[in-house]
Amino acid sequence: MNKYCFGIDVGGTTVKLGLFNEAGDVLDKWEIKTIVDDNGKHILPDIAKSVEAKLAEKKIEKDQVVGIGMGVPGPIKADGVILKAVNLGWGTFNVAEELGRLTGLSVKVGNDANVAALGEMWKGGGQGHANIVMVTLGTGVGGGIIVDGRILTGANGAGGEIGHMHINDEETEKCGCGGVGCLEQVSSATGIVRVAKKYLAGTDKASVLRDQAVSAKTIFDAVKAGDEAAAEIADIFGKYLGTALANVACVADPEVFVIGGGVSNAGPILFDFIKKHYQKVVFAGCKDAEFALAMLGNDAGIYGAAKLILDK
Amino acid sequence: MNKYCFGIDVGGTTVKLGLFNEAGDVLDKWEIKTIVDDNGKHILPDIAKSVEAKLAEKKIEKDQVVGIGMGVPGPIKADGVILKAVNLGWGTFNVAEELGRLTGLSVKVGNDANVAALGEMWKGGGQGHANIVMVTLGTGVGGGIIVDGRILTGANGAGGEIGHMHINDEETEKCGCGGVGCLEQVSSATGIVRVAKKYLAGTDKASVLRDQAVSAKTIFDAVKAGDEAAAEIADIFGKYLGTALANVACVADPEVFVIGGGVSNAGPILFDFIKKHYQKVVFAGCKDAEFALAMLGNDAGIYGAAKLILDK
């Protein structure tokens, strides 16, 4: 009998869903809107309806379904309890139990960044490895840590929250998390722009960045074109991120760091700036960790969610 | 049938051995000398002989023995291969396989700091928890991380090597690991003395520490007696250690930090200095992690080793 599973990635605006076979091939992929009204109480029923409809459409019986894996944007404990998901309007409740009740299927839930890391390990930039650290450099800095093929969830669902590692005592502005001096403030897509603006304001050095909107993309394009100021900005970014990843290495000692998110569109040139500082300060035993680009883009979540339930 | 196991802790001068029942009661405890001559080639045969002799003495048959767990001072990969153990004269070989061959018993081997952490989780300061970080503040700073009840070994056996987290860009002297600015240089028993000497040399402030040999013990005794300079030294130590543990928290998110080693003899007053800085910079979700003193002292290694083989 063919077996199937669902991999679901819940975001603040859309829910991505995938139907997989046991080998991890995605058989179908679709999206529904995330209705955050009424404290997000429609989200799980909408997902359940979409799953039921897909089963009917594909003529799949429930006993052919291993279950549903799902990533959600918030801290999730190992038992499926979410502590809070601001973007969805959710407070504390057992997401896995609730979706299980609605669908009659086995459900496993994880934090979205952690689940994406599992996806990249399974079918993406971390393929062939069982110990990876994934860093997503987007609007924020997300992190997910896979140890021996499994998500490091942690006591409070905060395992892999490396975007909020304190790496800058000089910082004065607050991070979105309420802290001050977080990695996210200097290494996210918005963070590197902050770094650039501060750098450019403090020097008279010529730069093509003065004549255009500054973004992670324009900064690294300028680096590639030989712009000195841009290279110095990239170096500041690399120093913070490389040092932070060296700190991560002496805790989790991964085989590979997988870098994703918008900033990673700059490509392998990123690694020049990160590895230079990483290798300078990292514990000797971790010096040879690989660096790889994420490969699954926005699909990492549904792949990881599928893997989560297949491994249950 | 009663079942037994051995928990063994290999050190540079002595090998500690324990005979345990499955419940984790230690039935007998003894030591043999570590003979490091000839590149440490006598160590495993000596251990095998000692195990055989104990079985004969206690009239225990080999089929009553679950196996041998062992901690060794060096990076050990998950398959039992040690990469190097300078203190023992060992190069790279499969320690678990070799001791298995010599004894005819199942063997599992881990890094000594990691194994000690497992011991403290099972029967010591981390009892009742499955996610702990142990930090041993001795001559060096050792670390061990337990995730969901299991040792985080890492790709290179460097999981939990938090003594070599880079936490001080201003440092000029080299750490024993070859790096510069490691946690160990300021938070080990010798590190806090370095901090104290530097502090005292840079101020005229009166302190009882000027009239006696400075050690971790005299520093914290002086703190307890109200010595202001000693309190400032302890605060520098706490800043480095608290910030480093906050970095660890956003990676591993433990329920509890268990602090052991010579410096921990100062008692709970340590926590005042560590937690103040930890809570200032840690990711909000990890703010309530507990801090506990290690309880097993030098026996943590044999307890953890026994647990390692019982869990195999």
Side-chain angles (χ1 to χ4, degrees):
Chain A
M1 189 170 70
N2 289 325
K3 286 271 192 179
Y4 303 91
C5 73
F6 290 90
I8 299 177
D9 185 17
V10 183
T13 47
T14 60
V15 179
K16 295 182 186 64
L17 301 97
L19 174 67
F20 293 79
N21 62 20
E22 277 184 296
D25 304 312
V26 60
L27 308 175
D28 201 0
K29 220 169 74 172
W30 68 103
E31 293 187 2
I32 60 173
K33 263 201 170 167
T34 308
I35 310 292
V36 295
D37 301 341
D38 307 324
N39 294 323
K41 77 172 183 185
H42 307 291
I43 298 173
L44 293 184
D46 287 351
I47 289 172
K49 255 181 262 168
S50 186
V51 164
E52 298 279 1
K54 188 58 63 177
L55 290 176
E57 176 198 329
K58 300 282 184 186
K59 299 191 172 53
I60 297 172
E61 299 298 325
K62 282 207 178 157
D63 62 0
Q64 290 177 273
V65 181
V66 176
I68 298 172
M70 192 161 78
V72 296
I76 283 268
K77 306 233 274 186
D79 57 3
V81 170
I82 192 159
L83 299 176
K84 199 202 256 189
V86 184
N87 294 341
L88 307 181
W90 286 356
T92 303
F93 73 105
N94 193 314
V95 180
E97 256 177 43
E98 180 63 14
L99 185 62
R101 203 182 55 72
L102 290 168
T103 58
L105 292 168
S106 174
V107 178
K108 232 179 144 191
V109 183
N111 166 270
D112 55 358
N114 293 348
V115 168
L118 191 62
E120 287 286 344
M121 179 203 77
W122 193 33
K123 299 283 181 184
Q127 222 171 337
H129 299 284
N131 290 282
I132 80 163
V133 169
M134 171 143 184
V135 188
T136 304
L137 306 171
T139 314
V141 172
I145 297 178
I146 309 295
V147 174
D148 296 338
R150 296 193 168 257
I151 289 170
L152 194 170
T153 300
N156 307 287
E161 274 290 358
I162 61 181
H164 302 292
M165 182 178 286
H166 179 81
I167 44 88
N168 186 4
D169 273 344
E170 319 292 307
E171 182 65 58
T172 51
E173 284 177 42
K174 265 203 175 178
C175 176
C177 75
V180 176
C182 294
L183 178 63
E184 181 163 302
Q185 295 183 277
V186 285
S187 293
S188 62
T190 40
I192 190 173
V193 171
R194 282 182 67 233
V195 168
K197 289 191 173 159
K198 209 177 271 183
Y199 175 88
L200 292 170
T203 174
D204 287 333
K205 194 172 269 191
S207 171
V208 297
L209 295 171
R210 296 193 189 276
D211 312 321
Q212 57 185 321
V214 177
S215 70
K217 181 170 170 26
T218 56
I219 293 167
F220 282 101
D221 282 349
V223 172
K224 288 173 196 167
D227 191 275
E228 254 184 54
E232 282 175 32
I233 291 161
D235 197 59
I236 296 169
F237 157 90
K239 181 176 178 181
Y240 286 124
L241 185 52
T243 305
L245 296 186
N247 289 349
V248 173
C250 72
V251 181
D253 184 18
E255 292 153 47
V256 57
F257 290 94
V258 179
I259 313 289
V263 178
S264 73
N265 293 332
I269 195 173
L270 272 183
F271 300 152
D272 299 345
F273 294 97
I274 301 171
K275 282 170 84 170
K276 172 182 160 195
H277 295 284
Y278 173 84
Q279 290 180 339
K280 201 168 144 192
V281 299
V282 75
F283 177 58
C286 305
K287 211 156 225 158
D288 297 328
E290 292 171 36
F291 285 76
L293 291 171
M295 288 167 54
L296 302 177
N298 290 331
D299 285 348
I302 60 170
Y303 276 97
K307 179 70 172 156
L308 191 65
I309 189 69
L310 290 173
D311 280 351
K312 75 159 179 220
Chain B
M1 190 169 68
N2 290 324
K3 285 272 192 178
Y4 304 91
C5 73
F6 289 90
I8 300 179
D9 185 17
V10 183
T13 48
T14 59
V15 178
K16 295 183 185 65
L17 301 98
L19 174 68
F20 293 79
N21 63 18
E22 279 185 295
D25 304 311
V26 61
L27 307 175
D28 200 359
K29 219 169 73 172
W30 68 104
E31 293 185 3
I32 60 173
K33 263 200 169 167
T34 308
I35 310 292
V36 293
D37 303 341
D38 308 324
N39 294 323
K41 77 171 184 187
H42 307 291
I43 297 172
L44 293 184
D46 287 352
I47 288 171
K49 257 181 261 166
S50 186
V51 164
E52 297 280 1
K54 188 58 62 178
L55 291 175
E57 176 198 327
K58 299 284 183 185
K59 298 190 175 53
I60 297 173
E61 299 297 325
K62 282 205 178 158
D63 63 0
Q64 288 176 276
V65 181
V66 176
I68 298 172
M70 192 160 79
V72 296
I76 283 267
K77 305 233 275 184
D79 57 4
V81 169
I82 190 157
L83 298 175
K84 201 201 252 187
V86 184
N87 294 341
L88 307 180
W90 287 356
T92 303
F93 72 105
N94 194 312
V95 180
E97 256 179 43
E98 179 62 15
L99 186 63
R101 202 182 55 74
L102 290 167
T103 58
L105 292 168
S106 174
V107 178
K108 232 178 144 194
V109 184
N111 166 269
D112 55 358
N114 291 349
V115 167
L118 191 63
E120 286 288 344
M121 179 204 79
W122 193 32
K123 299 284 182 183
Q127 225 170 336
H129 299 283
N131 290 283
I132 80 163
V133 170
M134 170 143 184
V135 187
T136 305
L137 306 171
T139 315
V141 171
I145 297 176
I146 309 296
V147 175
D148 295 338
R150 297 196 168 253
I151 289 171
L152 194 171
T153 300
N156 307 287
E161 275 289 357
I162 60 181
H164 302 292
M165 183 179 284
H166 179 79
I167 44 89
N168 185 4
D169 273 343
E170 319 292 307
E171 182 64 60
T172 51
E173 285 177 44
K174 265 202 174 179
C175 174
C177 76
V180 176
C182 294
L183 178 63
E184 181 162 303
Q185 294 183 278
V186 286
S187 291
S188 62
T190 43
I192 191 174
V193 170
R194 282 182 67 234
V195 169
K197 289 190 172 160
K198 209 177 269 184
Y199 174 88
L200 292 171
T203 174
D204 287 333
K205 193 171 269 189
S207 170
V208 296
L209 294 173
R210 296 192 188 277
D211 313 319
Q212 58 185 323
V214 177
S215 69
K217 182 171 170 25
T218 57
I219 294 166
F220 281 100
D221 283 350
V223 172
K224 288 173 196 166
D227 190 274
E228 254 184 52
E232 284 176 30
I233 291 162
D235 197 58
I236 297 171
F237 156 91
K239 184 179 177 183
Y240 286 124
L241 186 53
T243 304
L245 295 186
N247 289 349
V248 173
C250 73
V251 182
D253 184 19
E255 293 154 46
V256 57
F257 288 95
V258 178
I259 314 287
V263 177
S264 74
N265 293 332
I269 193 174
L270 273 182
F271 301 152
D272 299 345
F273 293 96
I274 301 171
K275 282 170 84 169
K276 172 181 159 197
H277 295 283
Y278 173 84
Q279 290 178 339
K280 201 168 144 194
V281 298
V282 77
F283 176 58
C286 305
K287 211 156 223 158
D288 296 328
E290 292 172 36
F291 285 77
L293 292 171
M295 288 168 54
L296 301 177
N298 290 332
D299 285 347
I302 61 170
Y303 275 97
K307 179 70 172 155
L308 190 64
I309 189 69
L310 290 173
D311 280 350
K312 77 161 177 208

